[in-house]
Amino acid sequence: MSPNARRARGRRHRPSPDARAMRRHRTTSSPDDPDVLCRDADRARELGEHDRAVRLYHRALRTLKSPPGSAPPSPRVSSVYARVASCERAMGRLASAIEALERSVRWDDGRPGGWMALGEARLEARRFEGAVEAFEAFCERCDGSELERGRRMSRVARSMASGEGLGRGAEEEPRRREEVPEERDDAGRDARGDDRASWCAAMMK
């Protein structure tokens, strides 16, 4: 084989730069590499393994926040906290979801979507004043096309904070406390239905 042919054959079998970089990444990445952890967490979240995903996200966050001088703003840290919140909500842990969303906007307070998600979570938790604050922050940062949505949600939260959005359930609560336990349970279920209906009606205004 001629020297030129050997050189050409060597070039054909030489790994590409991307392949070499991926190989170096696999051999040098640590178990706490945030990219690897977040990728595994995203996969777990897609499979519905929300509790495992939360653990992996928190491991990634410990690494992301560990370098000296690490402090907000950091859209990357904010994004991971937002994903933690989505998993917590999927598991019905609303208080933990709100805490994660509050951390998310603290690390990147310029992202409108984070404020909207926080407002919706606080509204669901009946933290109406906090919801109003989050929706107003959304309005200050969103595009013009989203402004009316933020204003509408803020009106809903204000209405519910004043008691107007609570419907018949709030007015009849004192009487329900005097009912026998069986009647109180039935009335509580009815009240929750009324509250949800009133809330949905307010959302459509």
Side-chain angles (χ1 to χ4, degrees), residues 169 176 185 187-197:
R176 291 198 186 99
D185 291 342
R189 283 191 291 271
D190 293 340
R192 286 192 292 274
D194 290 339
D195 289 353
R196 283 194 292 270

Side-chain angles (χ1 to χ4, degrees), residues 7-36:
R7 283 195 293 271
R9 183 178 180 182
R11 284 195 296 270
R12 285 198 299 271
H13 291 83
R14 188 176 301 157
S16 68
D18 289 342
R20 289 197 298 271
M22 290 179 64
R23 188 176 302 162
R24 282 197 302 271
H25 176 73
R26 284 196 297 268
T27 57
T28 60
S29 61
S30 73
D32 291 325
D33 185 319
D35 292 328
V36 175

Side-chain angles (χ1 to χ4, degrees), residues 73 78 104-115 137 140-142:
S78 175
S104 177
V105 297
R106 194 177 305 142
W107 280 87
D108 183 11
D109 69 352
R111 191 170 63 88
W115 289 104
E140 293 170 2
R141 294 161 175 80
C142 70

Side-chain angles (χ1 to χ4, degrees), residues 85-142:
S86 72
C87 291
E88 296 286 13
R89 289 196 73 172
M91 293 186 289
R93 302 197 298 228
L94 189 56
S96 297
I98 291 173
E99 181 181 352
L101 287 167
E102 288 172 346
R103 291 177 182 270
S104 177
V105 297
R106 194 177 305 142
W107 280 87
D108 183 11
D109 69 352
R111 191 170 63 88
W115 289 104
M116 174 57 71
L118 177 58
E120 290 173 340
R122 284 175 172 173
L123 192 62
E124 185 177 343
R126 307 174 78 86
R127 301 182 187 178
F128 302 126
E129 292 182 2
V132 170
E133 292 175 1
F135 292 136
E136 288 179 347
F138 170 83
C139 291
E140 293 170 2
R141 294 161 175 80
C142 70

Side-chain angles (χ1 to χ4, degrees), residues 116 120 123 135 148-149 152-157 159-160 165 195-205:
M116 174 57 71
E120 290 173 340
L123 192 62
F135 292 136
E148 182 52 38
R149 178 191 177 200
R152 183 175 67 251
M153 294 302 293
S154 183
R155 287 195 300 269
V156 169
S159 173
M160 298 188 77
D195 289 353
R196 283 194 292 270
S198 300
W199 186 84
C200 292
M203 287 279 289
M204 298 301 292
K205 290 181 180 179

